[in-house]
Amino acid sequence: MKKIFELVGSVLLAFAIAMFLKSNVFAIPQVRMNSMENTLVQGERVLELKFIYGFTEPKRGDVIVLDSEKESQGFVSDYVSEVKDTINILRGKVSRNHLIKRVIGIPGDEIVIDGGKVYINGELIQESYVKGGTYAEGIEFPIKVPEGKVFVLGDNREVSLDSRQLGFIDYKQIEGKAVAKVWPLDEIKIIKK
C-alpha cells in the first residue's frame, strides 16, 4: 500500500510541475488556422516562451500567442486554466481560443491601412512575410494604439481573425512569444520578424 501511495504521489507531483512549466515557463502550442501562412502552417507547432513578457514589453514584429477571449488573472488563475485545458485536450476537446498573431503596433503607434499596405507613424512598413493584401475590413483609420495594448495581424492577411475584428489586444491577453517552429522536426527554425 505504501508503494502505491508513493507512486500516486510521484505522478501527482510530476503533473503539478509539468502544469507549472506549461502555465508559466513554456508551451508548444499547435497552429490551428492558416492565418499565419507562410510563416506558420496549420498543424505545425511552435515553442512559446511564456515568461518573456514579464521582463520586457511586446515589440513590433513579435509573433505572440494570445487568448482572444480572456485576460490573465494571475499565477493561480493561469495555473488552473492550464490544468483544465490539459484535461480537455486529453478528452479530445479544445477549450481555449488561442491565436497566434504578429504584433504590428505598440502603444503610441498610429496605424493606417490603405491600398493593401500598412503604415506605422506615417511610414510604410516592409513586410516580406505577408501573404495577400492588407485591407481595413470596416475600421476607420488612422487609429492610435493605447497604453497596455497592441495591434496584431496575421501574416495571411486576407483570412486572418486579428485586431481588425477583435480590436486592440491587452497585454494581459498575451500568453507568450512564439520564438521557433519545432514541429515537424525536419523544419525546425527560428521565427523571424
Side-chain angles (χ1 to χ4, degrees):
M1 196 64 150
K2 183 180 175 187
K3 294 269 189 208
I4 291 173
F5 282 124
E6 286 177 358
L7 178 62
V8 169
S10 296
V11 169
L12 289 176
L13 179 61
F15 182 77
I17 291 169
M19 290 300 97
F20 170 78
L21 293 173
K22 190 174 180 214
S23 65
N24 292 285
V25 181
F26 71 91
I28 304 177
Q30 183 176 28
V31 178
R32 294 188 182 139
M33 296 184 236
N34 60 357
S35 66
M36 283 299 289
E37 288 180 358
N38 291 321
T39 304
L40 299 169
V41 179
Q42 189 172 8
E44 295 178 335
R45 290 191 174 268
V46 297
L47 173 62
E48 172 194 358
L49 299 182
K50 293 197 168 199
F51 61 88
I52 199 159
Y53 294 126
F55 302 103
T56 184
E57 294 182 349
K59 294 177 180 52
R60 218 178 283 122
D62 285 358
V63 175
I64 61 171
V65 179
L66 63 101
D67 189 322
S68 65
E69 297 176 352
K70 70 180 189 82
E71 298 177 358
S72 170
Q73 301 298 317
F75 169 77
V76 174
S77 174
D78 292 349
Y79 186 87
V80 170
S81 292
E82 206 61 59
V83 170
K84 287 179 183 176
D85 193 41
T86 300
I87 290 169
N88 284 332
I89 288 170
L90 293 172
R91 290 180 176 168
K93 299 177 185 175
V94 176
S95 62
R96 288 194 283 173
N97 194 9
H98 292 110
L99 300 175
I100 301 175
K101 302 295 172 193
R102 189 177 299 271
V103 175
I104 300 299
I106 57 175
D109 282 347
E110 183 180 82
I111 300 170
V112 173
I113 294 178
D114 186 38
K117 305 286 183 191
V118 180
Y119 299 82
I120 303 290
N121 302 322
E123 292 186 29
L124 174 66
I125 58 172
Q126 300 303 314
E127 301 180 289
S128 60
Y129 46 78
V130 170
K131 180 178 181 181
T134 308
Y135 301 100
E137 299 191 16
I139 297 179
E140 299 236 356
F141 289 94
I143 58 173
K144 188 169 185 175
V145 182
E147 284 301 315
K149 299 188 184 292
V150 292
F151 185 88
V152 298
L153 294 172
D155 289 356
N156 189 358
R157 299 284 164 81
E158 295 179 10
V159 299
S160 179
L161 173 66
D162 49 41
S163 285
R164 293 172 292 175
Q165 298 85 21
L166 301 171
F168 297 112
I169 302 301
D170 194 281
Y171 282 2
K172 291 182 179 179
Q173 290 176 266
I174 300 172
E175 294 190 352
K177 180 179 179 179
V179 295
K181 180 167 56 167
V182 295
W183 184 264
L185 291 175
D186 62 339
E187 295 180 23
I188 292 174
K189 68 178 181 180
I190 300 296
I191 297 172
K192 296 180 181 176
K193 290 187 177 188

